[in-house]
């Protein structure tokens, strides 16, 4: 169906965390949150669309020398540049064709000076806003738009091995209507009461891993590590004690290396330390242990091939091209991860390719997980969950619900409308703020998968948000 982007307006807000989130080389105490509002011509009809995301510190480029303000300016620039390409590209036969044109010019262009992972983020924001407009115009939920391929997805242009195949050949026949939450344990997160390094937040929400397990019935966890084998294992041992006592032994964890292990030898040292502490039995896989410039090198691949009894490994930050996950599997890894910031169509292609490879080699336990960027509502989290449910990915990492309180910093009406339209996913906390409804470690997604692209209302809050110049000026 013909589509054309008519206009795009980027706005946002600076949002403070309720507790610090330390990961990799960064500690997040506040974050810029941006919302893109678009108008799209869809077969002669005009429809509004919206997309939103956080601008995370030190994730896309991992440059310790730049300020957060400089990083935000760079992230805003890639979004605006992608918008400019989309606006100037005219009419396309499908949403997928529009995305492909922008992706080709912004990510695959040989003369681009922007890192592909960062450029892909800008493209993904535009992509999500146009998808939202299309699903609203057609009154079709995202999962159905994918399954019926009304978005015009050509899998063969994402992975040649999928030529002439449709997404429905690899994806579940219906979207998931509930998910198990995989709770993030950041590098600085207190584990038990009394571990807090400073004042405990007075918002009524837990401040420790122990408290969140009791409140939400959590059973799946993602633990951040720092790349020092003995320090990491010591913290894992203390986390295990909490998990054992609070879950009665009913838990599993994944490890997030955040590129902190210098090479395979250091990861081997960590794994041997973990083995000696009997931690290995509860670890499902290790995510992105090595720096992105080494992760897919021939040397790393050869070292992994020599390592017998290694853990399952996945990539995240190395996923900077359409075929990176497939190349990682070929190099000895066991899969990758979906993030909305990497792109929806890219994620669909990866999920289908991983499913194809798993069918070809049933004995190999491949992974295509879903990871978080402290995603929050009223838009980003719900659209993200709509994609995850459509791909059939259970146990996605979620952390926005415990590092942020509701949608603090965004218009109050956003919370009111979200709670009203998504009462299965959100409830009110003691002060009436939107709180993710995690019960028995799970969230319900009935209202999300029934909505056009996750969001069950029009999210017409543009005039209540700051322009991006004001947003940048507010960053210390």
């Amino acid at each position: 169906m013909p589509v054309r982007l008519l206009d795009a307006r980027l706005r946002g807000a600076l949002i403070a965390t309720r507790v610090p989130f330390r990961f990799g080389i960064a500690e997040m105490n506040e974050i810029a949150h941006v919302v893109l509002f678009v108008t799209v011509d869809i077969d002669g009809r005009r429809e509004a669309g919206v997309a939103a995301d956080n601008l995370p510190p030190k994730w896309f480029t991992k440059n310790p020398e730049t300020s957060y303000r400089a990083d935000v300016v760079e992230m805003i620039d890639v979004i605006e540049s992608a918008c400019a390409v989309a606006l100037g590209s005219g009419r396309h036969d499908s949403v997928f064709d529009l995305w492909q044109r922008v992706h080709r010019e912004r990510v695959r262009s040989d003369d681009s000076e922007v890192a592909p992972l960062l450029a892909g983020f800008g493209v993904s924001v535009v992509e999500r806003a146009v998808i939202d407009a299309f699903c609203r115009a057609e009154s079709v939920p995202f999962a159905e738009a994918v399954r019926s391929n009304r978005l015009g997805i050509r899998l063969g242009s994402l992975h040649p091995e999928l030529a002439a195949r449709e997404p429905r050949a690899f994806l579940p026949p219906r979207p998931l209507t509930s998910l198990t939450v995989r709770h993030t344990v950041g590098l600085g997160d207190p584990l038990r009461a009394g571990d807090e390094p400073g004042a405990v937040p007075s918002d009524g929400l837990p401040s420790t891993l122990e408290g969140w397990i009791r409140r939400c019935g959590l059973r799946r966890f993602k633990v951040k590590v720092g790349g020092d084998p003995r320090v990491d294992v010591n913290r894992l041992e203390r986390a295990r004690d909490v998990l054992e006592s609070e879950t009665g032994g009913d838990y599993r964890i994944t490890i997030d290396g955040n590129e902190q292990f210098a090479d395979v030898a250091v990861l081997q040292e960590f794994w041997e330390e973990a083995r000696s502490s009997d931690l290995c039995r509860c670890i499902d896989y290790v995510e992105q242990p090595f720096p992105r410039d080494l992760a897919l090198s021939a040397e790393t691949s050869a070292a992994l091939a020599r390592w017998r009894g290694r853990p399952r490994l996945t990539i995240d930050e190395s996923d900077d091209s359409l075929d990176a996950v497939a190349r990682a599997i070929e190099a000895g890894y066991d899969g990758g991860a979906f993030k909305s910031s990497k792109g929806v169509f890219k994620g669909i292609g990866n999920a289908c390719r991983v499913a194809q490879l798993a069918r070809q080699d049933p004995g190999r336990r491949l992974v295509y997980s879903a990871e978080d960027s402290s995603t929050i509502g009223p838009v980003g989290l719900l659209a993200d969950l709509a994609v995850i449910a459509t791909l059939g990915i259970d146990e996605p990492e979620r952390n926005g619900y415990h590092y942020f309180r509701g949608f603090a910093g965004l218009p109050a009406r956003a919370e009111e409308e979200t709670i009203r339209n998504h009462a299965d996913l959100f409830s009110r906390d003691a002060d009436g703020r939107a709180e993710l409804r995690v019960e028995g470690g799970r969230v319900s997604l009935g209202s999300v998968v029934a909505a056009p692209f996750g969001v069950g209302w029009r999210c017409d809050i543009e005039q209540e948000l700051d322009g991006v110049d004001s947003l940048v000026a507010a960053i210390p």
Side-chain angles (χ1 to χ4, degrees), residues 203-231:
D203 55 15
L205 298 177
S207 59
T208 65
L209 173 60
E210 174 186 67
W212 279 109
I213 296 172
R214 293 176 181 177
R215 186 181 186 93
C216 299
L218 302 166
R219 293 295 183 269
R220 297 293 182 268
F221 306 89
K222 171 174 173 173
V223 182
K224 301 276 188 180
V225 295
D228 184 322
R230 294 193 177 183
V231 172

Side-chain angles (χ1 to χ4, degrees), residues 114-362:
V114 180
L117 192 65
L118 178 59
F121 169 61
V123 176
S124 81
V125 178
V126 180
E127 169 193 28
R128 284 176 268 164
V130 175
I131 290 173
D132 181 64
F134 178 88
C135 290
R136 290 185 184 280
E138 293 294 291
S139 299
V140 59
F142 174 74
E144 176 57 27
V146 172
R147 183 163 179 77
S148 62
N149 207 7
R150 292 165 76 168
L151 297 167
I153 301 168
R154 295 190 306 280
L155 290 178
S157 66
L158 301 171
H159 298 277
E161 300 85 355
L162 299 174
R165 306 299 298 274
E166 294 278 318
R168 62 177 174 268
F170 300 99
L171 302 181
R174 290 171 297 279
L176 301 176
T177 56
S178 68
L179 295 170
T180 297
V181 168
R182 183 158 45 100
H183 177 94
T184 307
V185 184
L187 288 168
D189 288 12
L191 302 178
R192 294 185 184 275
D195 290 348
E196 299 92 338
V200 177
S202 58
D203 55 15
L205 298 177
S207 59
T208 65
L209 173 60
E210 174 186 67
W212 279 109
I213 296 172
R214 293 176 181 177
R215 186 181 186 93
C216 299
L218 302 166
R219 293 295 183 269
R220 297 293 182 268
F221 306 89
K222 171 174 173 173
V223 182
K224 301 276 188 180
V225 295
D228 184 322
R230 294 193 177 183
V231 172
D232 291 336
V233 168
N234 179 266
R235 179 164 170 77
L236 280 170
E237 288 174 336
R238 292 187 289 116
R240 176 188 59 188
D241 292 342
V242 174
L243 299 179
E244 289 282 350
S245 63
E246 296 299 325
T247 71
D250 178 20
Y251 68 94
R252 302 292 301 173
I253 67 175
T254 63
I255 302 296
D256 188 358
N258 272 125
E259 305 183 74
Q260 297 298 294
F261 292 87
D263 53 32
V264 174
V266 179
L267 182 62
Q268 283 183 291
E269 182 184 347
F270 162 78
W271 194 245
E272 290 306 313
E273 292 272 358
R275 194 189 306 279
S276 66
S277 296
D278 196 30
L279 288 164
C280 298
R281 63 180 178 81
C282 62
I283 297 174
D284 285 335
Y285 57 86
V286 179
E287 174 194 334
Q288 192 70 40
F290 312 120
R292 65 190 73 177
D293 57 340
L294 299 176
L296 301 184
S297 69
E299 293 79 8
T300 297
S301 180
L304 292 178
R306 293 192 297 268
W307 183 5
R308 304 304 177 193
R310 66 165 177 81
R312 288 196 294 171
L313 303 175
T314 65
I315 64 165
D316 188 12
E317 288 93 333
S318 290
D319 185 7
D320 63 357
S321 66
L322 296 178
D323 65 346
V325 171
R327 286 190 294 111
I329 292 172
E330 185 177 323
Y333 288 80
D334 301 280
F338 170 77
K339 271 184 177 170
S340 288
S341 61
K342 299 178 190 175
V344 174
F345 291 131
K346 175 180 173 179
I348 292 170
N350 279 333
C352 292
R353 179 62 176 142
V354 171
Q356 183 186 53
L357 290 169
R359 291 177 187 177
Q360 293 170 356
D361 187 359

Side-chain angles (χ1 to χ4, degrees), residues 454-467:
V455 182
W457 61 293
R458 289 206 165 265
C459 208
D460 50 346
I461 56 173
E462 180 178 352
Q463 301 308 314
E464 301 167 62
L465 294 169
D466 293 330

Side-chain angles (χ1 to χ4, degrees), residues 392-405:
I393 301 174
D394 199 8
E395 302 181 10
E397 178 202 12
R398 299 290 91 177
N399 58 49
Y401 72 99
H402 62 101
Y403 291 120
F404 295 96
R405 186 184 181 203

